[in-house]
Amino acid sequence: CGMEQLTTKETPSHVSGWLNKRGDVGIESYLEKHLNKRYFRLDKQQHTLSYYKQGLLAIGPEKLGCIDLNQVQEMSVKNTFGILLKTPQREYYLEATNVEDFSVWISAIATCVLSNLHHNLIPDSIGVLICNPLQEKLRPFCEDYCPGITMPLLSHLVTLGADVAKRIMLADKTPKATPREIIALMWLLMIKAASYDELFTSGVFRIDDAEGHLFNFIDSCEGVYTRVSSHFGERLNETLKLNPGEQRGLDLRFDKSELTLPVGKRSLLFFRLGDGTTIIKMELAGCPPFWKEEFQSMDNVKEFAKHMGEFVKTRVSEGGVTKKRKEHVPSEVSDTFREILKIIYPGFAPEAIGHERDVSHQIYRQGMMFGISRMIALLESRVEEVTHFPEKHFEVLKSYTRMDKLRLYQGERKGTEVCLPQLSTWYELQKY
């Protein structure tokens, strides 16, 4: 009978391969039913999904049934790689065994279902339905920077991320994180950034986290290590804020069968700041302390060396990166800040030597070190002292934080990092 097909195969007209299937299920009981391995063949033209006990290479394969995808009224993602289909006659639960097969099947099935239902799907019918305006931003972004991430797979990842976010905020005790949950959560954060038109390939998330729920969740994952980074170094050394050495790293180095972080990143740098925010930065390589006994391995030595190489590269050039949301103060802001100080303090010159103790220079140094929010606070404290306050210039600085208030973000802003409100304010986590 020849060599049986083991992996999912897709052609312009068909998709075929093995999936696990449960019998006729109810929405509440699908978890308890026994899974049976079945061979499936999807006809893209006829919108039919036939299933067999044996592969098509077997002699006279027994056809067990056929699902008319035009009859599917609801479709949802269950567990990690599960798909639940509801027709007027019955419900079907199918499950892939890895992310590659799941991506192919969910994309092909969803295409057939969507072509029939058009825009009548309920919000949760394919995981999280991502609205068309966001899809227009995400589709080219994923094609350019996230190979293999289709819109249905992205919907699935964001569904998982939304579930994780809810558990983080509702649990009495911080749930222990798994790498897969953290990856899904990072995709949820990226979707949130897209909703603010702040997608990035290199950048930083800064999230309100007054109680530390988000930080503690990521910190609970196995493999987290203490590391050192120059990011937000001014805050790390600020009195009563955060002590050096409290930064964390987590490497998510999976093989190709596993889910990956956005933009092909493989590691997280994360820590809390004194303003009640948690910083999360996705990186191409981690910084594991390979000199410590529990991390002594050649893989960790190579990872550390790769991180150092990436660090040097980013200091020399951006290496083709075009979408940045970093904590660096934009040149427009620093130039405007200097102009305001020159207006308020005639004779102010930031490059002047011997004036380090002048109030104007102290304000300048603090503002440039701590960023936009600090600049605004320092200037606002001087408004009553100044006869002609440069309101027009000041509005340039405030424009960077105006949207933060509208999105209910309470923390500070240094540069152009993506600032997000506390997870508990995301009232409609599953409606993007």
Side-chain angles (χ1 to χ4, degrees), residues 70-270:
N70 291 323
Q71 296 295 313
V72 173
Q73 296 176 325
E74 293 182 25
M75 174 180 175
S76 58
V77 174
K78 300 294 180 182
N79 299 326
T80 303
F81 300 129
I83 305 170
L84 185 65
L85 304 174
K86 296 180 68 174
T87 70
Q89 293 77 34
R90 58 174 289 188
E91 298 176 359
Y92 300 86
Y93 177 75
L94 317 175
E95 191 172 275
T97 57
N98 58 64
V99 67
E100 284 93 349
D101 287 352
F102 175 83
S103 179
V104 173
W105 282 112
I106 190 69
S107 180
I109 294 173
T111 298
C112 293
V113 172
L114 284 168
S115 68
N116 178 55
L117 296 183
H118 298 289
H119 300 293
N120 296 322
L121 288 169
I122 60 174
D124 294 328
S125 55
I126 301 187
V128 174
L129 282 183
I130 302 171
C131 65
N132 287 334
L134 267 187
Q135 285 198 37
E136 292 174 4
K137 299 175 185 177
L138 291 164
R139 186 174 286 106
F141 180 83
C142 288
E143 289 174 353
D144 291 342
Y145 303 109
C146 312
I149 301 298
T150 62
M151 288 301 102
L153 178 55
L154 182 57
S155 175
H156 166 64
L157 291 169
V158 179
T159 300
L160 293 179
D163 289 340
V164 171
K166 288 178 180 177
R167 286 199 295 113
I168 292 173
M169 299 311 302
L170 296 177
D172 294 330
K173 182 180 179 182
T174 301
K176 187 173 179 60
T178 66
R180 189 179 299 280
E181 290 173 330
I182 291 175
I183 288 172
L185 186 61
M186 292 305 104
W187 278 104
L188 177 67
L189 297 184
M190 190 63 90
I191 288 288
K192 194 68 173 177
S195 71
Y196 296 135
D197 201 22
E198 295 180 358
L199 279 171
F200 64 84
T201 56
S202 178
V204 174
F205 289 114
R206 187 171 186 170
I207 308 160
D208 282 332
D209 191 25
E211 301 298 323
H213 294 306
L214 176 59
F215 173 85
N216 292 334
F217 176 74
I218 301 175
D219 197 42
S220 72
C221 189
E222 184 177 356
V224 169
Y225 53 84
T226 299
R227 58 165 287 186
V228 176
S229 171
S230 61
H231 292 279
F232 292 89
E234 73 289 341
R235 297 306 300 268
L236 300 179
N237 296 316
E238 192 177 15
T239 305
L240 300 179
K241 295 299 181 181
L242 188 68
N243 297 320
E246 291 189 6
Q247 293 165 294
R248 301 285 198 271
L250 174 62
D251 298 338
L252 299 163
R253 292 173 276 171
F254 295 125
D255 58 36
K256 293 181 179 180
S257 67
E258 298 288 348
L259 303 176
T260 58
L261 290 167
V263 203
K265 306 293 186 179
R266 290 157 42 91
S267 182
L268 294 183
L269 163 69
F270 65 101

Side-chain angles (χ1 to χ4, degrees), residues 330-343:
S331 58
E332 178 192 31
V333 171
S334 56
D335 291 344
T336 302
F337 187 50
R338 280 192 290 268
E339 287 302 312
I340 292 175
L341 290 177
K342 288 178 181 178
I343 295 172

